[in-house]
Amino acid sequence: MNSYNLTTLIEFIIAKQADFPGAKGELSRLLYSIGVAAKMINKKVNKAGLVDILGTAGNINIQGEEQKKLDVFADQQLIGSLKASGEVCGVASEENDEIVVFDHEMSKDAKYLVCMDPLDGSSNIDVNVSIGTIFSIYRRLSPRGTKPGLEDFLQEGSKQIAAGYIIYGSSTMLVYTTGKGVNGFTLDPSLGEFCLSHEHIQTPPGSMYSINEGNYLAFPEGIKRFIKYCQDVDPANKRPYTSRYIGSLVADFHRNLLKGGIFLYPQTHKNPEGKLRLLYECNPMAFLAEQAGGKASHGNGRIMDIVPGSLHQRIPFYTGSTNMVDKVEEFLMA
Ligand code: AHG
Ligand code: MN
Ligand code: MN
């Protein structure tokens, strides 16, 4: 703690470097550069209603979705910060069809790569609802000093070195893990610093379920039964379940992480593989969920055990409190 009784993100990151003997500060610098980009994105998000940055940028990304101007801004801001950090050799982003390789000398030598969803929940931007940024960090497989290739990015989630998200909500928070628990930092706008506010987050057993029930008829039978199980009033009226769905993964996940609950995005007729992307939505959230004592499943096993087949691969996603993820798996496998 410093004299103001605060621990800033950078102070915390540096203090935690001691958890990794032999660490040279490369990951610390990388995490710090994400924090800086987050502050720039936060500034733009806060101003979204004031300046002419709402609406579409007129492009369609690989998912066939309209890119919002803030999606593009967040992507470019993060890529710029990561490149400038010199600690990243390449990036996979929701907003770019192919991997982005940094090939100047310093970056070629870097040992890390980043997968990211620069702006998550972007359909909520125009209506002042919480949105986020998701990131996931891996060590490269290819030798340092060379250009990274697709194989470097197609690693199982269990190989993640760090992962986290920024939520631009009623306050802005950065939540991350390096595999030694989950910690949350709230942005103090007067200081312009992320300050430690949620130390060692643990997910309690949950009673909230978060799912787009508009897709109900398209869900697998096990999921329909799980929803009915949650809605059913048992004779003793003790079943505690209630529903909350924002439609921004970061915001739904964050609430469930702190309060307990489950987030579900099953396969549907429209999205037979599920909607959410393995590399930069599911894996990072799975790492955080597990580090907070929760779970993340694709219905029939652990998310982080999947060997990715492609950059923008989608997967059914069930994550949150262990008791509720176990229950869903039970219904899906029955
Ligand atoms: P993105 O804005 O990055 O494309 O992600 C949107 C995702 C995710 O944030 C959210 O959980 C999900 O889409 C909501 O989907 P539905 O609108 O189908 O419920
Ligand atoms: Mn997203
Ligand atoms: Mn996005």
Side-chain angles (χ1 to χ4, degrees):
M1 293 244 180
N2 61 28
S3 53
Y4 301 100
N5 248 7
L6 290 173
T7 303
T8 64
L9 177 64
I10 187 66
E11 287 168 347
F12 186 86
I13 289 172
I14 290 168
K16 289 294 164 187
Q17 214 174 287
D19 286 347
F20 301 91
K24 296 198 200 81
E26 294 154 306
L27 182 62
S28 300
R29 282 192 289 276
L30 166 45
L31 289 168
Y32 181 68
S33 76
I34 292 176
V36 172
K39 285 193 256 182
M40 307 293 282
I41 298 167
N42 180 64
K43 238 174 90 185
K44 269 284 205 258
V45 167
N46 282 171
K47 282 192 185 155
L50 295 173
V51 286
D52 184 29
I53 52 173
L54 293 177
T56 64
N59 299 322
I60 301 287
N61 67 11
I62 193 172
Q63 267 77 233
E65 296 152 351
E66 253 180 347
Q67 279 183 317
K68 300 282 182 182
K69 283 183 184 173
L70 268 171
D71 284 321
V72 177
F73 174 83
D75 187 52
Q76 289 170 353
Q77 187 63 56
L78 279 157
I79 287 179
S81 293
L82 294 170
K83 196 172 184 177
S85 78
E87 305 298 350
V88 175
C89 61
V91 170
S93 162
E94 181 190 4
E95 301 306 329
N96 298 294
D97 302 356
E98 311 288 344
I99 56 171
V100 178
V101 171
F102 300 156
D103 54 8
H104 62 87
E105 280 316 306
M106 198 164 62
S107 297
K108 267 207 304 210
D109 265 348
K111 71 172 177 215
Y112 295 112
L113 55 92
V114 173
C115 301
M116 65 185 191
D117 180 351
L119 210 68
D120 172 70
S122 46
S123 66
N124 281 325
I125 297 169
D126 291 359
V127 289
N128 222 335
V129 170
S130 299
I131 50 180
T133 293
I134 311 174
F135 62 91
S136 164
I137 300 171
Y138 290 85
R139 197 169 282 129
R140 68 188 299 172
L141 302 172
S142 54
R144 290 171 85 159
T146 64
K147 276 190 187 183
L150 186 58
E151 342 57 78
D152 286 299
F153 292 83
L154 301 182
Q155 301 187 46
E156 300 100 293
S158 58
K159 303 268 169 60
Q160 287 172 102
I161 300 296
Y165 59 81
I166 295 98
I167 176 165
Y168 312 101
S170 43
S171 59
T172 296
M173 277 189 74
L174 186 150
V175 176
Y176 83 99
T177 183
T178 53
K180 303 222 182 264
V182 179
N183 293 287
F185 301 79
T186 303
L187 183 65
D188 180 335
S190 61
L191 294 176
E193 291 284 355
F194 284 104
C195 301
L196 181 62
S197 53
H198 296 62
E199 201 167 359
H200 196 61
I201 298 170
Q202 285 288 298
T203 299
S207 56
M208 252 172 306
Y209 69 100
S210 313
I211 188 166
N212 184 346
E213 281 189 66
N215 295 326
Y216 182 86
L217 293 177
F219 289 152
E221 287 308 312
I223 296 300
K224 289 183 184 169
R225 286 200 301 276
F226 174 76
I227 293 172
K228 289 296 156 212
Y229 164 85
C230 291
Q231 293 172 340
D232 195 18
V233 180
D234 75 11
N237 202 17
K238 287 282 191 299
R239 197 162 284 168
Y241 299 109
T242 187
S243 167
R244 291 282 184 281
Y245 190 72
I246 295 169
S248 294
L249 170 64
V250 169
D252 282 305
F253 181 89
H254 182 70
R255 183 200 52 244
N256 294 352
L257 181 76
L258 297 181
K259 302 268 187 199
I262 186 169
F263 175 91
L264 309 95
Y265 212 111
Q267 53 275 68
T268 61
H269 297 154
K270 190 173 154 208
N271 291 301
E273 310 296 328
K275 180 182 180 189
L276 299 183
R277 280 55 63 103
L278 176 61
L279 262 62
Y280 44 80
E281 291 181 315
C282 304
N283 271 333
M285 293 318 206
F287 193 16
L288 289 159
E290 289 193 9
Q291 285 293 316
K295 274 183 90 164
S297 166
H298 49 83
N300 194 14
R302 187 175 177 230
I303 281 286
M304 289 204 291
D305 284 341
I306 299 171
V307 181
S310 62
L311 227 42
H312 300 283
Q313 181 174 346
R314 296 172 193 264
I315 190 89
F317 191 42
Y318 309 104
T319 188
S321 305
T322 300
N323 67 315
M324 295 189 81
V325 178
D326 285 347
K327 201 55 159 177
V328 164
E329 284 188 328
E330 204 179 296
F331 275 99
L332 282 170
M333 291 179 216

